[in-house]
Amino acid sequence: MRIAVASGKGGTGKTTVATNLAYVASLDGRTVAYVDCDVEEPNGHLFLKPEWLVSKPVTRPVPQVDETRCTHCGRCGEICQYSAIVPLGLTVLVYPELCHGCGGCTLVCPAGAVTETPREIGVLEMGWSGDVQFNRGVLNIGEAMSPPLIRRVKSAPPRTDLTLIDSPPGTSCPVIESIKGVDCVLLVTEPTPFGLHDLKLAVEMIKTLRLPMGVVVNRADVGDRLTWEYCNDSEIPILAEIPDDRRIAEAYSRGELFIQGLPEYRSVFRNLLEKMASMSLRTWSVA
Amino acid sequence: MKELVVISGKGGTGKTSIAASLAVFSGGCVVADCDVDAADLHLVLSPQVKERHDFYSGHQAVIRQADCTGCGLCLTHCRYNAVESRFPAEGQAVSVQGAPYDCQACDYCERSCPARDNDFIQAMSGTVGDRQRGAFTIDPIACEGCGVCVEVCPARAIDFPERLCGEWMVSETRCGPMVHARLGVAAENSGKLVSIVRQNARQVAQERSIGLVIVDGAPGIGCPVIASITGADLVLLVTEPTLSGEHDLKRVVQLTRHFGIPVAVCINKWDLNPEMSDTIEAYCRGESIPVAGRIRYDRGFTQAQICRRAVVEMAEDGVAEDIRGLWSTLRSGFGAPGSKEIPHHGTSAS
């Protein structure tokens, strides 16, 4: 079963939920993988503290031009939608940070002057946190696009009972890349106006992907009741509620899995897993 | 005219709440909401929209099924898994949007799907040998608008319309004009939309002789954040005293260094972990980054949201004093002409 943990608003508790869920599931004997797809600001390692096994650079293809072969026809610049390759007089300028790696320029060049060369965008790292398999990507600072790295992080899915994908906040392309292809999405929210507003955006986004979803209301006693009204009206199940327990916040601030110090919350996570298993596209089974 | 951009790295540290309060203290500024993916500032500033503009950016590929010969060249060349087969052949796995599973080619999904279109039925009866008319379609969410399929299609059966990605608005608020935007669900080009919002905010500031633009940014370090900070006069990094906050702060500091932009830090919810707050301050000192303010944890942040107000409009003491201290520190940094020095804040509220 592959579950993506997403939100809409940042800071609602995705990583808290995903890491503690991974830990609880592994305690119960499931084979578990935690995949940190928030490649811009990964935090899962702070809580699961993996022992690293592998770190490999990840690249994406960008054009390079052999000016000795270039006939200055300008076809590369015509096909490029991103202004990443710009013929200018007798030279061709390349802006690799703008390139989407579509291969178009290489394809249309009549002289074979454009080839693709790998550009490093970050790293893929894998390790173990006790019995939890830990995969993540870390984007290089200054690199604008995360989807190519996220795609790579997800491209070798672990064969485990449960895979938890910790996705970035928001609703745009990095999140979609993280969520695509999972069996169920867990939306973590807080019952505040900002939380609810962004939850609605996230729900719309997930509906376009046609995936089952459920909600976890974190810090459930801080705001108002509008979040519950919205979920009921929209028939989105609320699968768990976590109160605004200062002890959880303190454990979190110290980089601890709060479940370890507060075992009374284990049943919340167990129930959550069972409910998701019953609504997922694919339930407990190896991929 | 000065531009102050509020970002964080980590989400949920309080960027939007603090940006709104700074806008109130400024006594009049232009506000720009550059968190176009999940914009929230309007919830507390109640903008009255004066202008709306469509945001068109890039293109998307759309196959005209009637002209498609089913050759599959688009599928071969697409690097984004955006081309889908509408008629799965036996043994071929079908990727249903969002949920890949092994296809047995029984066609039950196509026949029973309430969203099916009738071209399927027509095409099935009019199959042309091995190739099927209208065999491929493009998933608009996966499509990155690169145009390669348009180029290679031998039947020229792929249209390439401009893509409507969202809209941007110019509005009036009680703090001054506001430029904000909404990115369409699952749309791309957020960086471009952010740039448009900032450009227009600066333009409004010029036109109306307003000396300050306050930008509410997005979490992370990717293209919308980069588009928010390049060329800014000062970036305010809002952090929280947690291990995650500290980790993400360091990455976003590196980002501002990468682009050579002056930066100051504000530690929000500092009293939730005073030790960690001290650790973060020590890090900032080591990096010669001024800490412009420390703001205490206060449930007033949520109360203010519920009342559709900025935190500092709810009370004058307590957390509002902390934010006032932050504002006056930032303002004195902007005050001296040509100077980008932000003094380090004094300890605790005055």
Side-chain angles (χ1 to χ4, degrees), chain A residues 162-266:
Chain A
L162 175 67
T163 300
L164 284 161
I165 293 175
D166 195 354
S167 66
T171 60
S172 66
C173 42
V175 182
I176 291 176
E177 200 60 55
S178 305
I179 287 181
K180 269 194 317 202
V182 301
D183 302 313
C184 188
V185 181
L186 192 60
L187 284 171
V188 183
T189 190
E190 58 179 45
T192 63
F194 291 177
L196 179 58
H197 177 268
D198 296 352
L199 175 67
K200 291 176 181 176
L201 296 173
V203 165
E204 287 315 303
M205 182 262 301
I206 294 169
K207 281 184 177 164
T208 64
L209 298 176
R210 283 181 262 150
L211 292 172
M213 57 180 134
V215 164
V216 170
V217 185
N218 195 10
R219 303 174 61 225
D221 39 348
V222 298
D224 53 33
R225 303 299 299 174
L226 295 175
T227 302
W228 283 265
E229 275 177 34
Y230 165 73
C231 290
N232 288 336
D233 292 344
S234 315
E235 291 175 359
I236 298 168
I238 292 179
L239 304 179
E241 293 176 13
I242 302 171
D244 189 26
D245 188 335
R246 192 167 174 124
R247 298 172 303 168
I248 296 179
E250 285 170 356
Y252 172 82
S253 84
R254 291 190 298 263
E256 292 167 11
L257 290 167
F258 77 85
I259 282 288
Q260 284 176 336
L262 302 168
E264 60 264 39
Y265 282 106
R266 282 186 202 176

Side-chain angles (χ1 to χ4, degrees), chain A residues 17-282:
Chain A
V17 168
T19 54
N20 283 278
L21 207 46
Y23 180 73
V24 168
S26 77
L27 284 182
D28 292 349
R30 301 284 186 188
T31 58
V32 184
Y34 166 87
V35 181
D36 197 343
C37 285
D38 187 355
V39 302
E40 295 179 28
E41 297 281 23
N43 289 148
H45 65 289
L46 299 171
F47 302 92
L48 290 173
K49 304 177 173 47
E51 275 180 32
W52 297 113
L53 291 178
V54 175
S55 177
K56 331 187 214 210
V58 175
T59 65
R60 61 180 173 87
V62 297
Q64 69 185 357
V65 180
D66 178 354
E67 297 217 350
T68 64
R69 305 180 93 150
C70 175
T71 60
H72 314 296
C73 68
R75 295 278 294 117
C76 55
E78 280 167 18
I79 195 176
C80 182
Q81 295 296 314
Y82 314 105
S83 307
I85 184 166
V86 182
L88 204 63
L90 290 179
T91 189
V92 181
L93 300 176
V94 175
Y95 298 103
E97 59 281 6
L98 300 179
C99 174
H100 279 225
C102 69
C105 52
T106 306
L107 189 69
V108 302
C109 176
V114 182
T115 50
E116 292 183 282
T117 185
R119 169 187 166 87
E120 258 190 52
I121 56 173
V123 292
L124 167 65
E125 295 183 327
M126 306 200 278
W128 286 92
S129 165
D131 293 324
V132 174
Q133 215 177 300
F134 191 110
N135 291 356
R136 75 168 185 176
V138 185
L139 189 72
N140 288 347
I141 310 276
E143 188 64 35
M145 291 187 248
S146 21
L149 178 56
I150 297 172
R151 222 171 275 144
R152 180 73 180 87
V153 173
K154 287 181 69 184
S155 67
R159 298 176 72 83
T160 46
D161 291 337
L162 175 67
T163 300
L164 284 161
I165 293 175
D166 195 354
S167 66
T171 60
S172 66
C173 42
V175 182
I176 291 176
E177 200 60 55
S178 305
I179 287 181
K180 269 194 317 202
V182 301
D183 302 313
C184 188
V185 181
L186 192 60
L187 284 171
V188 183
T189 190
E190 58 179 45
T192 63
F194 291 177
L196 179 58
H197 177 268
D198 296 352
L199 175 67
K200 291 176 181 176
L201 296 173
V203 165
E204 287 315 303
M205 182 262 301
I206 294 169
K207 281 184 177 164
T208 64
L209 298 176
R210 283 181 262 150
L211 292 172
M213 57 180 134
V215 164
V216 170
V217 185
N218 195 10
R219 303 174 61 225
D221 39 348
V222 298
D224 53 33
R225 303 299 299 174
L226 295 175
T227 302
W228 283 265
E229 275 177 34
Y230 165 73
C231 290
N232 288 336
D233 292 344
S234 315
E235 291 175 359
I236 298 168
I238 292 179
L239 304 179
E241 293 176 13
I242 302 171
D244 189 26
D245 188 335
R246 192 167 174 124
R247 298 172 303 168
I248 296 179
E250 285 170 356
Y252 172 82
S253 84
R254 291 190 298 263
E256 292 167 11
L257 290 167
F258 77 85
I259 282 288
Q260 284 176 336
L262 302 168
E264 60 264 39
Y265 282 106
R266 282 186 202 176
S267 54
V268 173
F269 287 96
R270 284 192 181 111
N271 291 340
L272 175 55
L273 282 171
E274 287 316 309
K275 287 179 192 165
M276 280 193 286
S278 65
M279 58 188 281
S280 256
L281 292 178
R282 253 195 302 199

